[in-house]
Amino acid sequence: RLLFLSGSRCTIDNRVTRVAWLNRSTILYAGNDKWCLDPRVVLLSNTQTQYSIEIQNVDVYDEGPYTCSVQTDNHPKTSRVHLIVQVSPKIVEISSDISINEGNNISLTCIATGRPEPTVTWRHISPKAVGFVSEDEYLEIQGITREQSGDYECSASNDVAAPVVRRVKVTVNYPPYISEAKGTGVPVGQKGTLQCEASAVPSAEFQWYKDDKRLIEGKKGVKVENRPFLSKLIFFNVSEHDYGNYTCVASNKLGHTNASLTLFELSEPTSSTLLQAVRTTALTPGKGPGAVSEVSNGSWRRAGCTWMLPLLILHLLLKF
């Protein structure tokens, strides 16, 4: 976008007999007569006090000296004006989005034009990034890391108009690493889940093994749920045979890694254990809600039944 609309005026008096406007050595107007073929150049006024022309839709090729020449009775006089054309910044070339393996080098390019010549800067769009990463048309990154992935913003500015901004997306590929894998304890007959989380670009593919045998999706009572960074091994009804050591393997085109998890038996409380807990609670003197130290024998029995009932219900719910 060209910002300059030129209107050039030449002040004259009644002694002037001839007037003309020139661009370098080319005559644009002589009096009221137009000598140039450019339709953008028009005569604004030709009076006893003023002789002015206008150049419409100015472009950079119009920049340069313009001369108003006047002829008086005594001798010719000239007045000169220099037209400076300002141009908003424009990014004419920028690197395409790039995918690169961790540890390699990259070079990003951002070429901009404008008048005056724009200043070009690069910035990493990241919460951890501080300030500019380059104040030049070229951005070089040696041994790129996964933390340096993301969008890089090129800005071109020359104070003629608002800065022009473009972005390049940089994807850094790296092999998987497992961030979390924990074993779990589950009673026989209950539902159990082993979970494995892995970070990788491209996203990791997961496989599960028990000892050295790979678990195939569709095995009765067992389901594998995979997401881009998470895999779950779900047991709907844990049996004695399911207990043991499992291995989660995460892999992509750059490598693989694994982690061991254990599914172990978690004992349920028995009926006798629950009844013993009830008796112990009921016979223990105390203060506050449920204290029975100052009640009669009949009241003690009622209090004991009151404590026993919710625990027995809890036990039945756990069984079924």
Side-chain angles (χ1 to χ4, degrees):
R1 187 163 64 94
L2 302 170
L3 300 180
F4 198 99
L5 180 62
S6 172
S8 298
R9 291 187 294 271
C10 186
T11 303
I12 58 178
D13 56 32
N14 55 11
R15 294 177 298 167
V16 173
T17 57
R18 294 179 182 178
V19 290
W21 271 105
L22 299 85
N23 178 10
R24 299 180 175 89
S25 60
T26 302
I27 299 175
L28 302 177
Y29 267 90
N32 292 324
D33 299 328
K34 185 175 182 179
W35 285 50
C36 72
L37 299 177
D38 192 338
R40 299 175 303 123
V41 181
V42 295
L43 182 66
L44 288 183
S45 64
N46 182 9
T47 67
Q48 292 184 347
T49 59
Q50 183 175 285
Y51 185 53
S52 61
I53 61 172
E54 181 180 71
I55 305 174
Q56 301 170 344
N57 300 320
V58 173
D59 64 31
V60 293
Y61 302 105
D62 296 318
E63 185 168 294
Y66 290 79
T67 303
C68 174
S69 177
V70 298
Q71 179 71 42
T72 65
D73 294 334
N74 297 326
H75 53 77
K77 293 181 179 180
T78 60
S79 177
R80 176 174 292 188
V81 61
H82 193 91
L83 175 62
I84 298 175
V85 179
Q86 294 182 323
V87 183
S88 302
K90 180 181 180 181
I91 295 175
V92 295
E93 180 184 342
I94 191 167
S95 297
S96 301
D97 294 346
I98 185 173
S99 178
I100 190 169
N101 293 344
E102 188 173 38
N104 289 349
N105 305 330
I106 68 167
S107 177
L108 302 180
T109 302
C110 181
I111 306 298
T113 60
R115 285 173 161 266
E117 184 176 350
T119 299
V120 177
T121 56
W122 282 99
R123 188 166 63 96
H124 186 199
I125 308 301
S126 167
K128 297 181 181 179
V130 179
F132 298 110
V133 292
S134 175
E135 296 186 7
D136 192 5
E137 296 174 333
Y138 304 98
L139 172 61
E140 305 281 346
I141 301 178
Q142 305 291 324
I144 195 167
T145 65
R146 64 194 69 177
E147 290 79 18
Q148 291 174 302
S149 64
D151 288 337
Y152 284 79
E153 182 181 87
C154 171
S155 176
S157 174
N158 66 358
D159 296 328
V160 175
V164 178
V165 174
R166 297 271 298 276
R167 288 187 177 184
V168 176
K169 182 177 181 61
V170 176
T171 301
V172 179
N173 304 313
Y174 58 91
Y177 73 92
I178 294 177
S179 55
E180 185 174 353
K182 293 182 180 179
T184 186
V186 182
V188 172
Q190 300 298 314
K191 182 178 179 180
T193 301
L194 294 177
Q195 185 167 298
C196 181
E197 295 184 25
S199 178
V201 176
S203 298
E205 296 181 357
F206 294 92
Q207 295 177 350
W208 287 91
Y209 293 82
K210 184 178 182 184
D211 300 324
D212 293 329
K213 185 178 180 180
R214 182 182 172 185
L215 300 179
I216 305 299
E217 175 69 25
K219 179 184 175 183
K220 186 177 181 181
V222 179
K223 181 182 179 182
V224 177
E225 286 186 358
N226 287 330
R227 299 176 186 173
F229 301 101
L230 173 67
S231 182
K232 293 181 180 180
L233 182 62
I234 302 172
F235 303 86
F236 294 102
N237 187 3
V238 173
S239 66
E240 293 284 351
H241 176 73
D242 294 322
Y243 294 126
N245 294 322
Y246 292 81
T247 301
C248 167
V249 178
S251 60
N252 68 6
K253 64 181 182 180
L254 297 179
H256 65 273
T257 187
N258 64 75
S260 296
L261 306 86
T262 302
L263 182 68
F264 57 90
E265 183 175 5
L266 189 67
S267 299
E268 285 188 296
T270 63
S271 300
S272 59
T273 304
L274 286 171
L275 290 172
Q276 181 61 40
V278 169
R279 293 193 185 98
T280 303
T281 303
L283 290 170
T284 302
K287 296 180 180 180
V292 297
S293 57
E294 296 182 2
V295 298
S296 65
N297 191 44
S299 299
W300 176 86
R301 289 191 185 94
R302 289 192 296 273
C305 291
T306 303
W307 278 90
M308 185 184 301
L309 182 58
L311 290 174
L312 288 175
I313 292 173
L314 176 61
H315 174 64
L316 290 173
L317 290 174
L318 289 173
K319 290 294 286 181
F320 297 99

